[in-house]
Amino acid sequence: MAADGRRALVSAIAAGLFALGFFVPAPARAQGDDVFTVRAVRVDATAENAAAARAKALIDGQRRALTRVFERVALAEDMKRLSRPNDRGVESLVQALEVDRERTSKVRYLAELTVRFKPDAVRDLMRQSKVRFAETRGKPVVLLPVYQEGPTAMLWDDANPWRKAWNAIPTGDGLISVIVPIGDLTDAEAIDAQAALDSDTQKLGAIAARYRAGELIVAIAKLVEDPETKAQSVEISTIRHGSAFEAAIPAPPAPGQVEATVPLDTPAAIEKRLAAAAGDLARRIENDWKQANLMSFDGQQQIVLSLPLQGIGDLVEARRRLGELPSVLRVDITALTPRVARLMLTFTGDTPQLQAALAEKSMALIPQPPDWVLTVAGGEAPAPAEAQKPAPPPKPDRPRTQ
């Protein structure tokens, strides 16, 4: 097809979309709704008969699934304010229930459930309880566990107790995944303990790219001894690389600043203490992410922007990604040509939060006074064209995630 013909076709499609008031309404938020789905809920109940055992197991599973949703999205410090519904209230929040792997006896019932909750109903319950929550899923965070004992720093070593502690943490299903690299030869060649402590940008970038991570955290556990009492403890500190958590921490700790001290009653206690410290830090990382991406219901904002187009597919792809953001309530097209779409976004929160959410979808909201430009990775870039980043290498097999 000639270039003039392609332009004519795009113009015709664009005109049709514009005439129809092409927009993304709130119900299109597929990712936000998925946040309210819990899978692989195992139930096992015993009662006087099989029917009673089944009823008991199903309500127990739905209640535990609801708790997992609350833990996934709500700020930890607000959980104590959360109103816990009774059995009938829990069932009223369920949109769909899938039952798999059923096994029964005369008095026992076992199964595995997938529970989909009504997003708006769960949101209303949390808002009524004044519980702050987030729904935006983030890109993975790579965590490098460096253990220091005297002059020795360990990262990939089998003897690293700090790495063992992180590998023992059960896989989570929160809004953000913490990936502990598998520590194979490729990882070892990409970065070592000293380079991590020295914040070697090139090597940190290589390991982050391998795991397609949006952020990277060097978690340091340093064994120290009191010179007088000879009592030992472990000092925990972090060095964070990236901007996704900045909104959550108005005054972040300086790189390497001690954030927690873990006392060791006996040398043998180190494994147990480090496991607890790793769990605490993992929860803090996730809570920081929630804090940076809290849903706001105080009001709505609108922003007008330009979306450069190479073809109508760029507009369709932008629509898809925007529809997955819980904070984006509506997208209206105000003008459309074969090369540029003018969009009006209605969203909750502030502009920095919107930019952070867009970044998680590989989109960028760039100020070009007096306008804003929205770019989509793989699509058209604003002038002057930005340098294209190289594609990340293939994802390694089975990294550890928390």
Side-chain angles (χ1 to χ4, degrees), residues 63 66 70 82-93 125:
R63 181 175 294 281
L66 182 60
F70 290 147
L82 194 57
S83 175
R84 303 286 180 167
N86 58 24
D87 290 352
R88 182 172 295 181
V90 171
E91 291 176 328
S92 72
L93 297 173
L125 178 61

Side-chain angles (χ1 to χ4, degrees), residues 240 245-246 248-255 257 259:
R240 300 192 178 198
F245 298 95
E246 286 180 355
I249 314 173
Q257 177 182 327
E259 301 174 37

Side-chain angles (χ1 to χ4, degrees), residues 49-364:
N49 55 59
R54 185 177 191 275
K56 180 180 177 181
L58 293 184
I59 189 60
D60 174 67
Q62 291 171 86
R63 181 175 294 281
R64 287 192 287 115
L66 182 60
T67 298
R68 280 170 60 177
V69 168
F70 290 147
E71 292 173 345
R72 178 185 292 166
V73 303
L75 285 184
E77 57 265 35
D78 289 0
M79 286 288 288
K80 59 181 177 294
R81 293 203 296 266
L82 194 57
S83 175
R84 303 286 180 167
N86 58 24
D87 290 352
R88 182 172 295 181
V90 171
E91 291 176 328
S92 72
L93 297 173
V94 175
Q95 179 172 290
L97 176 65
E98 298 178 13
V99 182
D100 194 17
R101 299 181 182 178
E102 281 188 300
R103 290 177 289 164
T104 61
S105 70
K106 292 183 179 180
V107 296
R108 190 180 180 189
Y109 179 85
L110 300 91
E112 186 170 287
L113 311 180
T114 295
V115 188
R116 292 181 174 85
F117 292 96
K118 302 172 184 176
D120 287 339
V122 177
R123 292 183 188 112
D124 288 344
L125 178 61
M126 290 188 288
R127 291 178 65 188
Q128 291 167 8
S129 301
K130 301 188 185 306
V131 171
R132 296 167 292 171
F133 60 95
E135 298 179 22
T136 302
R137 289 192 183 275
K139 293 179 180 178
V141 174
V142 163
L143 184 136
L144 302 179
V146 177
Y147 183 73
Q148 289 183 286
E149 183 174 348
T152 303
M154 294 184 286
L155 177 54
W156 310 120
D157 309 65
D158 291 338
N160 181 348
W162 187 221
R163 183 164 172 260
K164 289 179 181 178
W166 280 96
N167 283 334
I169 296 178
T171 300
D173 63 350
L175 296 179
I176 193 164
S177 297
V178 177
I179 295 178
V180 180
I182 55 180
D184 61 7
L185 181 60
T186 303
D187 287 341
E189 290 177 344
I191 192 169
D192 58 20
Q194 195 57 53
L197 294 173
D198 293 341
S199 297
D200 186 310
T201 304
Q202 183 175 357
K203 293 183 177 182
L204 290 170
I207 194 72
R210 188 183 188 211
Y211 290 90
R212 292 183 171 90
E215 303 286 318
L216 189 144
I217 297 176
V218 180
I220 306 162
K222 183 178 181 180
L223 182 66
V224 296
E225 184 177 273
D226 186 292
E228 296 182 359
T229 65
K230 304 300 181 182
Q232 291 186 324
S233 61
V234 176
E235 296 177 342
I236 307 296
S237 60
T238 59
I239 305 174
R240 300 192 178 198
H241 301 273
S243 59
F245 298 95
E246 286 180 355
I249 314 173
Q257 177 182 327
V258 176
E259 301 174 37
T261 300
V262 181
L264 300 179
D265 303 327
T266 65
I270 188 167
E271 184 175 330
K272 181 178 179 181
R273 298 287 189 178
L274 286 181
D280 289 343
L281 181 53
R283 286 186 288 272
R284 188 159 73 248
I285 291 169
E286 187 167 359
N287 213 52
D288 285 348
W289 172 259
K290 295 176 191 176
Q291 185 73 56
N293 293 276
L294 290 176
M295 295 292 290
S296 172
F297 298 92
D298 295 335
Q300 301 176 5
Q301 297 194 57
Q302 291 185 325
I303 187 171
V304 177
L305 51 86
S306 297
L307 173 67
L309 303 174
Q310 291 179 327
I312 202 66
D314 290 343
L315 181 58
V316 173
E317 178 61 18
R319 176 191 186 276
R320 183 188 69 80
R321 298 189 198 186
L322 291 168
E324 293 179 347
L325 295 177
S327 59
V328 175
L329 305 178
R330 183 182 176 101
V331 181
D332 290 289
I333 296 178
T334 60
L336 190 56
T337 73
R339 297 297 295 171
V340 178
R342 293 278 292 174
L343 308 178
M344 178 182 290
L345 268 63
T346 303
F347 65 98
T348 60
D350 55 28
T351 302
Q353 284 180 316
L354 176 62
Q355 289 176 303
L358 290 169
E360 296 304 315
K361 289 296 177 183
S362 298
M363 307 174 78

Side-chain angles (χ1 to χ4, degrees), residues 358-377:
L358 290 169
E360 296 304 315
K361 289 296 177 183
S362 298
M363 307 174 78
L365 186 60
I366 303 170
Q368 286 195 354
D371 207 350
W372 292 87
V373 175
L374 178 68
T375 64
V376 181

